[in-house]
Amino acid sequence: QVQLVESGGGLVQAGGSLRLSCAVSGRTFSIYVMGWFRQAPGKEREFVAAISWRGTNTYYDDSVKGRFTISKDNAKNTVYLQMNSLKPEDTAVYYCNTARLAGSTWSGGMDYWGKGTLVTVSS
């Protein structure tokens, strides 16, 4: 059974940085497109970033482009999200999942979601 364990969240001031990690087990991690998603209070979960299975291609939502960087380590079955220049509007619970693209819309590839990690950015 697949397990997704997100970590690295916390409270940070606007302009600060955090690095999120997602440890994946129970699947052949390296063959999947992996993504980060987030859900702010009272809002729908939304796409943040994705990375191809080789790590050569990355994709970002416009709201984080230039500030966030997604990466992965297939040997460690871990995907990362480096978040710089954080803004209060980045406050959300962040989740990882496999990612799939339909048209221009990214969504989680598995019904299963981990518990996520909370990022709070104060102004």
Side-chain angles (χ1 to χ4, degrees), residues 2 6 11 19 28 30 37 46 51 56-57 66 70-73 83 95-96:
V2 65
E6 300 93 346
L11 173 63
R19 189 193 194 206
T28 308
S30 62
F37 302 81
E46 63 180 11
I51 187 166
T56 51
N57 295 311
I70 188 171
S71 61
K72 63 186 310 202
D73 186 334
M83 306 187 297
Y95 303 87
C96 69

Side-chain angles (χ1 to χ4, degrees), residues 96-112:
C96 69
N97 201 325
T98 61
R100 59 186 176 188
L101 180 63
S104 60
T105 302
W106 286 95
S107 61
M110 298 187 297
D111 291 336
Y112 167 80

Side-chain angles (χ1 to χ4, degrees), residues 22-95:
C22 172
V24 183
S25 61
R27 276 205 172 184
T28 308
F29 170 80
S30 62
I31 68 172
Y32 290 95
V33 175
M34 293 298 300
W36 283 96
F37 302 81
R38 66 186 181 186
Q39 186 167 20
K43 294 188 176 181
E44 297 285 322
R45 186 153 44 204
E46 63 180 11
F47 168 76
V48 175
I51 187 166
S52 62
W53 69 277
R54 284 186 176 176
T56 51
N57 295 311
T58 56
Y59 312 88
Y60 298 94
D61 184 78
D62 286 344
S63 64
V64 306
K65 203 171 291 184
R67 301 188 297 122
F68 291 10
T69 303
I70 188 171
S71 61
K72 63 186 310 202
D73 186 334
N74 286 342
K76 296 182 178 179
N77 281 9
T78 302
V79 60
Y80 304 97
L81 187 68
Q82 177 67 44
M83 306 187 297
N84 299 328
S85 303
L86 282 162
K87 304 176 180 180
E89 52 263 44
D90 295 318
T91 294
V93 178
Y94 284 71
Y95 303 87

